[in-house]
Amino acid sequence: MIKHLAKRTLGITAAVTIALSATTAVSAYAANDDMDAVSLAKKLVGIDYSRSNETPSAGFDSSGLIYYVYQTLDYSVPRTLAEQFKMNKKSINDISKAEPGDILFFGSGKTPSYAGIYVGQGKMVMSSQSRDEVVTRNVNDYKKSFIGGKSILSATDRLKAELILAAQKYLGVPYEFGAKYGQTKTMDCSSFVKTVFAQYDITLPRVSRNQAKEGKYVSKSNLEAGDLVFFTTPDSGKSIGHVGIYVGNGNMIHTYGEGGVKFTSINKEWWADHYVTARRILD
C-alpha cells in the first residue's frame, strides 16, 4: 500500500512538474510578444549558448534563437537551421540588402552552419558556440561565409522594427517644451513622436492631445511595439499632456525633463498612475 501510494504521489508530482514547465514555456513567449523582432533579439544578448535548446531559461543554439524570436511574434518557423534555410520566404542573396528583422545564414554551399538576426546598422544578433552566449556581431566580419537570407516579417512588423530603431537614434537629445518642429537639437514629447513617424511618411499632428485622436484605440493590455501611449502631466490636469512610443516589455521611448529622450517604464512612478490611453498608428 505504501509502495503504491509512493508511486501514485510520484506520478502526480511528475504531472504537476510537466504542467508547470508547459505554463512556464507559454509565459516565456507571452512575456515578450509585444516587442518587435529587433528589440527582442537585442534583449536576448548575453544569454548562454546551449545546444538543442530554444528558451531564455535553458539557453539557445543558433537555430533555437531564431525559432524563439519568431515563434514569440507568432511566425511559424522550423526548428532546425537546414529547415529554416529552406523556408518558402523571400530570399536575400546580397547581404548588403538585408533589412532589420531578416534572418542571415552562414556556412558552405547550401549547408548553413549558423545564423543571425539582422538588427540594423550593419549588425546582427546570433547565438555563438565559440563565445558560449548570444552576441552582437558586425555582419561584414562574416561576409565571406554568407550563403543567403530569408525575409519573413510582414510589412507592418518590419516597419515597427525600423521605427523603433529610428527613435533610438535620438536617445539623449535634450528636452525642451515647445521645441520647434523640424529641428532635432531639442525636442518635446510630441515633436519627437512626430519627427520619428514622419521619417516613414506618416503625418501626425503637432501636439499630443491631437495625436491621441489618430489611428485606433488599443487597450493597455494589448499594446504592441510602435503604439502611441498617452498620459497626463502636472501641467495638463486631467487632459492629455504627454506621449511616448511603446517599445514592448512595459517600456516606452519618449522625452520629458532631465535626460531628454530615454526609455521609461509605463508601469512605474508617475507614468503608471497617469496613463490615459493608447492609439495604434501602424496597422
Side-chain angles (χ1 to χ4, degrees):
M1 176 68 177
I2 293 175
K3 190 181 289 186
H4 176 73
L5 184 59
K7 270 187 173 182
R8 185 169 179 272
T9 302
L10 185 62
I12 292 172
T13 303
V16 170
T17 302
I18 291 170
L20 286 173
S21 298
T23 301
T24 302
V26 171
S27 297
Y29 284 100
N32 300 306
D33 62 3
D34 59 347
M35 301 182 78
D36 67 278
V38 170
S39 298
L40 178 52
K42 287 181 175 181
K43 181 184 176 184
L44 301 173
V45 169
I47 290 178
D48 289 344
Y49 176 91
S50 181
R51 190 177 178 84
S52 301
N53 282 310
E54 68 272 340
T55 65
S57 57
F60 301 103
D61 62 14
S62 185
S63 59
L65 174 68
I66 290 166
Y67 178 79
Y68 173 79
V69 168
Y70 294 96
Q71 287 281 353
T72 299
L73 301 176
D74 293 329
Y75 286 89
S76 180
V77 175
R79 175 59 181 85
T80 68
L81 273 178
E83 292 174 322
Q84 290 170 357
F85 185 63
K86 294 176 182 177
M87 284 189 294
N88 184 25
K89 299 292 182 180
K90 180 183 176 183
S91 294
I92 302 162
N93 300 314
D94 183 347
I95 199 169
S96 67
K97 301 290 179 64
E99 297 183 11
D102 288 344
I103 305 170
L104 306 179
F105 297 91
F106 305 86
S108 177
K110 294 184 178 180
T111 304
S113 301
Y114 54 94
I117 298 171
Y118 186 64
V119 295
Q121 300 176 319
K123 298 185 182 299
M124 65 178 173
V125 170
M126 59 183 287
S127 187
S128 170
Q129 186 172 11
S130 61
R131 288 294 300 275
D132 199 35
E133 65 179 358
V134 178
V135 296
T136 303
R137 284 288 178 265
N138 292 319
V139 168
N140 283 338
D141 292 343
Y142 297 83
K143 202 170 183 178
K144 292 181 179 179
S145 300
F146 177 69
I147 61 171
K150 293 292 180 179
S151 178
I152 70 170
L153 292 180
S154 68
T156 298
D157 284 344
R158 184 181 301 286
L159 181 56
K160 288 178 185 178
E162 292 178 353
L163 188 140
I164 299 303
L165 283 172
Q168 291 178 36
K169 293 178 183 178
Y170 298 106
L171 285 169
V173 170
Y175 173 82
E176 180 189 7
F177 178 74
K180 184 178 179 181
Y181 174 71
Q183 58 81 39
T184 56
K185 292 181 180 179
T186 61
M187 294 177 166
D188 64 14
C189 65
S190 52
S191 73
F192 166 63
V193 168
K194 182 175 174 66
T195 297
V196 172
F197 276 78
Q199 293 177 38
Y200 298 93
D201 296 322
I202 299 171
T203 302
L204 293 175
R206 173 60 183 84
V207 297
S208 58
R209 64 178 176 273
N210 290 332
Q211 290 174 354
K213 300 173 185 176
E214 299 294 306
K216 67 179 184 180
Y217 167 78
V218 59
S219 67
K220 191 176 184 182
S221 61
N222 288 312
L223 286 171
E224 294 180 359
D227 291 341
L228 299 186
V229 284
F230 297 91
F231 307 82
T232 60
T233 67
D235 295 326
S236 70
K238 294 182 179 180
S239 300
I240 288 172
H242 187 71
V243 60
I245 303 171
Y246 187 70
V247 298
N249 203 31
N251 294 302
M252 65 177 167
I253 185 168
H254 70 142
T255 182
Y256 190 81
E258 187 177 352
V261 179
K262 53 186 168 288
F263 291 109
T264 301
S265 172
I266 68 171
N267 298 314
K268 294 181 180 179
E269 300 170 347
W270 175 276
W271 310 110
D273 296 331
H274 295 83
Y275 177 90
V276 177
T277 189
R279 305 292 293 185
R280 180 156 297 159
I281 308 298
L282 309 177
D283 201 3

